[in-house]
Amino acid sequence: MNSLKTYKVPHSSTAQVGNVKIGGEYLPVLQSMANSDTNDIQACVEQAKKIACAGGEMVRFTTQGLNEVASLNKIVKQLKVEVANLPIVADVHFSSKVAAAAVPVCDKVRINPGNFLGRKDAQSTADNNNNNAIKSETKEKLKALITLCKKHKTALRIGVNHGSLSSRIMNQFGDTPEGMVASAMEYLLICKEEDFDNVIVSLKSSNSTLMTKSVRLLVYEMVKNSVYYPVHLGVTESGDGLEGRIKSVVGIAPLLLEGIGDTIRISLTEPPENEIPVAKSIIKLFPKPETLLYHPFENLPYNPFDFQDLRQPDTNKYVELKFPLVVSSPCNNDPQPDIIVNTSARFPVLKYKSIEYVLHPFQVALNKQRPSIFISITTQIHPSDLFRLKGEPILVLDATINNIHEIKQWLIIYHSKKLPFKIILRKKYNNNDLDSFALHAAGEFGLIFSDRLIDGCWIENNQFGNEFNTWLSFNILQATRLRITATEYIACPSCGRTQFDIEKVLADVKKETSHLKGLKIAVMGCIVNGPGEMADADYGYIGAGNGRVNIFKGKTQVRKNIPQKTAINELKKVIMESGDWSKP
Ligand code: SF4
């Protein structure tokens, strides 16, 4: 099926962070971030050692002020003795002065264009004169930082986050992928002008699909501007457990599969060293290709940069079905699969509206007087041949033998033909390990669902039972936000700014609210970045320091400095007052 042009995946430039190279032809670098207080030298050293032991190749520390820069210096010195060659990164927000102070101390400094100038840029108005002054100041301060970085051979990460864009950018673009890309490109073009290529760039969001689409757009813009700096991938605040891992891989795998991504951080609300095995598995499961069977940005039957589901509700004969569908064998889960399948007969039988339909293969269905509404096809059938079908069958694309690139190529050709049929993608996995199965299926279906190329999934792995296969399918749909069947938690991984046990609080919040299906609830470690980075959460529990908590409804703070002991009850009250509470 050669009607698409092969695309040679471009390589990014290469950055040097300590002794580690990021970008170019190098494998993606695994990294994590410590969550101990940066001024607690011993705790930080121990955490960095655990991360390195797990296979982490780089560790980041929150660096709020000059005290933390001094502490980081001590951490770096001690780590040099205890763990040779572990590059150290300073994470700096709200101060170009602190960023400059950190440059001689560590191997890479992360700055956030949303707050590089402190509150000034974060809170600027729509006034053009003011904006031009801020732009000039940004340029001047960034150039000074670059000069320092060159002198000390320190790398720079331009780290943009959805939810913490400057007002200047927000006024122009809103909190959108375009705004995130504009924010990063302003800084990257200054780096280019200064001939500084020791740069890494990231665009992160807690919305996995928004992250994927923003990074695609960034790469597209960089290539257009003849710069391609290495890209750091991550879904922020993805929470914990298997749900957190699924949210991460649904955002990261589609990019790796398109050859994008040079370093990875999985943000989990768990001990930082737990992030490394997940990143390792993802890199193994989704190797970056050298070429693709299609161009990921051009001549596509969909907009690769659009992250919103613009599909109209179905008005055809399947209107009572909730698309995207989940197909699976009978199980005791809630929610139940939409289409129950029995695979024990010669051809599988699918139950729809209490009637059983045999899943006939395409050739058999063509010869039948009254074909089943479900028809099995493979990628061997060219999409043009499907015009021969009568009625409105739902096609089940059985793609177990195909790799994900072949599947996507077939689906692109299918959609280019504007065929009217709904498609369910069926894939059997044989991963023996539950985590690896979940990551594998979520990454592949994440790629296909994020571009809305299919209308349902049928995920099988005989080793883990129907309950798990069904749970996984609904979780993937939740992570892509195409179908919400559970409460969504946005929880930060915590860092040196967090002053409470966030893992326990998240578990307690989940215990009280997990029946509130469809709500997005954030648990964030600090008031500095928490409110912005909880992005589109409906409610937020945000640490305010000293055993106090602030409660948010959307972007509005509705309770301030609540003692932590009563904070979950207050959160519940706020949800009740807003009419979003229901009995468990
Ligand atoms: S929200 Fe605050 S505590 Fe959480 S990771 Fe971000 S800076 Fe750290």
Side-chain angles (χ1 to χ4, degrees), residues 492-495 497-498 524-526 529-530 533:
C492 83
S494 79
C495 69
R497 292 183 194 267
T498 318
M524 306 295 281
C526 79
N529 290 332
E533 295 191 2

Side-chain angles (χ1 to χ4, degrees), residues 87-266:
I88 299 300
V89 186
D91 194 70
V92 182
H93 292 264
F94 291 105
S95 174
S96 54
K97 195 166 140 198
V98 174
V103 168
V105 166
C106 59
D107 302 294
K108 177 168 75 166
V109 174
R110 180 267 170 115
I111 55 168
N112 178 346
N115 56 37
F116 180 56
L117 294 191
R119 302 279 165 199
K120 206 185 282 179
D121 203 10
Q123 294 169 352
S124 64
T125 64
D127 175 334
N128 260 345
N129 288 338
N130 187 35
N131 282 342
N132 287 340
I134 288 177
K135 261 182 138 171
S136 311
E137 189 177 341
T138 299
K139 191 166 188 178
E140 184 198 315
K141 295 230 161 96
L142 184 59
K143 276 169 75 173
L145 189 66
I146 289 171
T147 307
L148 263 182
C149 285
K150 282 182 179 168
K151 178 172 166 206
H152 293 278
K153 297 194 170 30
T154 302
L156 193 61
R157 176 176 140 214
I158 310 297
V160 174
N161 279 12
H162 183 229
S164 71
L165 299 179
S166 71
S167 309
R168 181 163 58 92
I169 294 289
M170 292 272 275
N171 289 334
Q172 211 179 333
F173 300 95
D175 204 3
T176 59
E178 290 74 18
M180 292 167 74
V181 171
S183 178
M185 285 306 295
E186 179 183 349
Y187 280 58
L188 296 178
L189 292 176
I190 297 172
C191 294
K192 182 187 175 195
E193 211 177 290
E194 291 302 296
D195 208 12
F196 178 58
D197 54 12
N198 212 10
V199 182
I200 295 108
V201 58
S202 66
L203 302 185
K204 295 196 186 181
S205 168
S206 57
N207 177 334
S208 311
T209 305
L210 190 145
M211 187 285 276
T212 307
K213 304 287 169 127
S214 308
V215 173
R216 265 188 191 159
L217 184 59
L218 170 74
V219 171
Y220 181 70
E221 284 296 319
M222 283 201 288
V223 171
K224 224 165 72 184
N225 282 280
S226 311
V227 286
Y228 185 2
Y229 294 113
V231 178
H232 168 135
L233 299 181
V235 173
T236 49
E237 294 95 24
S238 45
D240 61 356
L242 205 43
E243 288 97 331
R245 287 156 174 77
I246 289 171
K247 240 172 138 180
S248 293
V249 74
V250 157
I252 292 171
L255 293 164
L256 289 174
L257 287 167
E258 288 174 357
I260 298 169
D262 304 289
T263 174
I264 294 185
R265 193 257 167 131
I266 309 294

Side-chain angles (χ1 to χ4, degrees), residues 157-388:
R157 176 176 140 214
I158 310 297
V160 174
N161 279 12
H162 183 229
S164 71
L165 299 179
S166 71
S167 309
R168 181 163 58 92
I169 294 289
M170 292 272 275
N171 289 334
Q172 211 179 333
F173 300 95
D175 204 3
T176 59
E178 290 74 18
M180 292 167 74
V181 171
S183 178
M185 285 306 295
E186 179 183 349
Y187 280 58
L188 296 178
L189 292 176
I190 297 172
C191 294
K192 182 187 175 195
E193 211 177 290
E194 291 302 296
D195 208 12
F196 178 58
D197 54 12
N198 212 10
V199 182
I200 295 108
V201 58
S202 66
L203 302 185
K204 295 196 186 181
S205 168
S206 57
N207 177 334
S208 311
T209 305
L210 190 145
M211 187 285 276
T212 307
K213 304 287 169 127
S214 308
V215 173
R216 265 188 191 159
L217 184 59
L218 170 74
V219 171
Y220 181 70
E221 284 296 319
M222 283 201 288
V223 171
K224 224 165 72 184
N225 282 280
S226 311
V227 286
Y228 185 2
Y229 294 113
V231 178
H232 168 135
L233 299 181
V235 173
T236 49
E237 294 95 24
S238 45
D240 61 356
L242 205 43
E243 288 97 331
R245 287 156 174 77
I246 289 171
K247 240 172 138 180
S248 293
V249 74
V250 157
I252 292 171
L255 293 164
L256 289 174
L257 287 167
E258 288 174 357
I260 298 169
D262 304 289
T263 174
I264 294 185
R265 193 257 167 131
I266 309 294
S267 300
L268 295 177
T269 314
E270 294 182 24
E273 62 274 16
N274 288 9
E275 298 174 353
I276 301 298
V278 186
K280 248 189 216 168
S281 299
I282 291 178
I283 285 171
K284 202 165 148 209
L285 288 166
F286 305 105
K288 285 167 63 178
E290 286 296 321
T291 56
L292 281 175
L293 301 166
Y294 55 91
H295 195 301
F297 308 138
E298 291 175 5
N299 303 321
L300 296 167
Y302 57 89
N303 178 351
F305 311 123
D306 171 25
F307 75 101
Q308 277 161 331
D309 190 359
L310 299 175
R311 275 186 304 197
Q312 297 302 311
D314 286 291
T315 52
N316 64 16
K317 64 193 240 186
Y318 307 116
V319 71
E320 71 283 2
L321 282 174
K322 285 187 192 130
F323 288 97
L325 302 173
V326 170
V327 179
S328 193
S329 302
C331 69
N332 300 317
N333 274 21
D334 178 31
Q336 282 276 315
D338 303 285
I339 307 276
I340 304 282
V341 61
N342 177 354
T343 48
S344 56
R346 181 165 163 244
F347 296 132
V349 176
L350 287 83
K351 201 193 244 177
Y352 165 59
K353 286 212 277 189
S354 310
I355 301 172
E356 294 190 332
Y357 295 88
V358 177
L359 177 62
H360 283 130
F362 175 68
Q363 290 303 344
V364 175
L366 275 185
N367 296 327
K368 289 251 167 208
Q369 285 298 319
R370 291 185 54 209
S372 165
I373 61 166
F374 296 103
I375 294 175
S376 177
I377 56 167
T378 66
T379 56
Q380 293 297 305
I381 294 166
H382 195 283
S384 301
D385 290 337
L386 297 172
F387 283 111
R388 293 161 64 200

